[in-house]
Amino acid sequence: MSLVQTRSEDVSVAVAAELTAVIVAVTNGQPRVLTIEKGQALPSGPFEASHRSLQAGLRSWVETQTRHPLGYVEQLYTFADADRKQGTIGRVVSVSYLGLTREAPAAAGWGAEWQPWYRFFPWEDVRGAGAALTEAMLAGPLLAWAESDPGTARDRLRRIAINFGLDGQRWNEEFVLQRYELLWEAGLVAEAGTGPGTAPGEAMRHDHRRILATGIARLRAKIKYRPVVFELMPEAFTLLQLQRTVEALGGRLLHKQNFRRLIDQQDLVEETGEVTTETGGRPAKLFRFRREVLAERQVAGTKLPLVRAV
């Protein structure tokens, strides 16, 4: 483990660097994240002297724990809270990364499994049942927590309304981390350490659910201005498959005609000349991503989640 000794007021503190991966795929219209320990943690491990770089160390740990090679990877965030990893001596700083791939079988040795990310954040999927969770299961406990402290009640109520789309506020799909941290602050998730947690959704070890929330928020924001969604698509796909993938990531439905009009305007895809009958209806055209568009336009945005169902 990489350790750095720091001294403050004659107290020596060991600081360890850890690498954590949020690896995302979309399979059958379901966003999924690669986990270890049967879904309790994200792939992670210490940054060691033998690692050529942080990213090389991350790739090494992911392949060791899951046998899944990484494709697109970008640095996500650095987490350095003093109590972020329970049961350790000193401080553990986590350098996290977001990776996009297509799902392939994971190794079983570390309990590696692909899990639906809505298993951990069911309220984030407002396409179906998740839309009712805030009103039915979260609003009451959150409002009770807000009103338990008259001195901060007004500010808490405002934050709850903005982050959870209550009292006429618009639901913002990018506020994933803010919503989770409000639930943590209110003691409604098990990771807060105040009990089993009454909010739905599976807990994860240490702060890995918080890291996952950060990854989901980053990806939801990024697909609005970069065509990274195509890293998750097969080589050939239908426009309906593309729309369903974007809807799965954003957790909300899109307007079909507006979506297709936007795809045409962006000039991001081209026909392959082939069709598929796997859609169950009449044959659908197959498309592929025009990778040369990245060279043609340095800022090639998809803006896909901005086109919503009416």
Side-chain angles (χ1 to χ4, degrees), residues 50 52 122 144 194 213 225 277:
S50 61
R52 178 176 52 84
T194 57
Y225 62 90
T277 58

Short mmCIF file of all heavy atoms in Angstrom, two decimals, residues 50 52 122 144 194 213 225 277:
data_model
loop_
_atom_site.label_atom_id
_atom_site.label_comp_id
_atom_site.label_asym_id
_atom_site.label_seq_id
_atom_site.Cartn_x
_atom_site.Cartn_y
_atom_site.Cartn_z
N SER A 50 4.70 -0.44 -7.65
CA SER A 50 4.89 -1.12 -8.94
C SER A 50 4.00 -0.58 -10.04
O SER A 50 4.22 -0.87 -11.22
CB SER A 50 4.63 -2.62 -8.77
OG SER A 50 3.29 -2.85 -8.34
N ARG A 52 2.73 1.88 -12.74
CA ARG A 52 3.36 2.92 -13.56
C ARG A 52 2.64 4.26 -13.41
O ARG A 52 3.27 5.33 -13.48
CB ARG A 52 3.38 2.47 -15.03
CG ARG A 52 3.97 3.46 -16.00
CD ARG A 52 4.02 2.88 -17.41
NE ARG A 52 2.73 2.35 -17.80
CZ ARG A 52 1.75 3.08 -18.31
NH1 ARG A 52 1.91 4.39 -18.47
NH2 ARG A 52 0.60 2.54 -18.67
N PRO A 122 -32.89 3.16 -6.23
CA PRO A 122 -34.17 2.93 -6.92
C PRO A 122 -34.95 4.20 -7.18
O PRO A 122 -35.73 4.26 -8.14
CB PRO A 122 -34.91 1.98 -5.98
CG PRO A 122 -34.27 2.16 -4.64
CD PRO A 122 -32.83 2.47 -4.93
N ALA A 144 -39.87 15.08 8.07
CA ALA A 144 -39.80 14.97 9.54
C ALA A 144 -38.41 15.34 10.04
O ALA A 144 -38.27 16.02 11.07
CB ALA A 144 -40.15 13.53 9.95
N THR A 194 -26.40 5.42 11.64
CA THR A 194 -27.38 5.69 12.69
C THR A 194 -28.44 4.60 12.79
O THR A 194 -29.41 4.75 13.52
CB THR A 194 -28.08 7.04 12.43
OG1 THR A 194 -28.69 7.00 11.12
CG2 THR A 194 -27.08 8.18 12.48
N ALA A 213 -22.75 7.15 -6.77
CA ALA A 213 -23.64 8.29 -7.04
C ALA A 213 -22.92 9.36 -7.84
O ALA A 213 -23.49 9.97 -8.76
CB ALA A 213 -24.18 8.86 -5.73
N TYR A 225 -23.24 16.61 -23.50
CA TYR A 225 -22.33 17.41 -24.31
C TYR A 225 -21.19 16.62 -24.95
O TYR A 225 -20.36 17.20 -25.66
CB TYR A 225 -21.75 18.57 -23.48
CG TYR A 225 -20.93 18.16 -22.29
CD1 TYR A 225 -19.55 17.95 -22.39
CD2 TYR A 225 -21.51 18.00 -21.03
CE1 TYR A 225 -18.80 17.58 -21.30
CE2 TYR A 225 -20.77 17.62 -19.93
CZ TYR A 225 -19.41 17.43 -20.07
OH TYR A 225 -18.66 17.06 -18.98
N THR A 277 -34.73 -7.83 -37.55
CA THR A 277 -36.12 -8.20 -37.24
C THR A 277 -36.27 -8.55 -35.77
O THR A 277 -37.32 -9.01 -35.35
CB THR A 277 -36.55 -9.40 -38.10
OG1 THR A 277 -35.66 -10.51 -37.86
CG2 THR A 277 -36.53 -9.05 -39.58
#
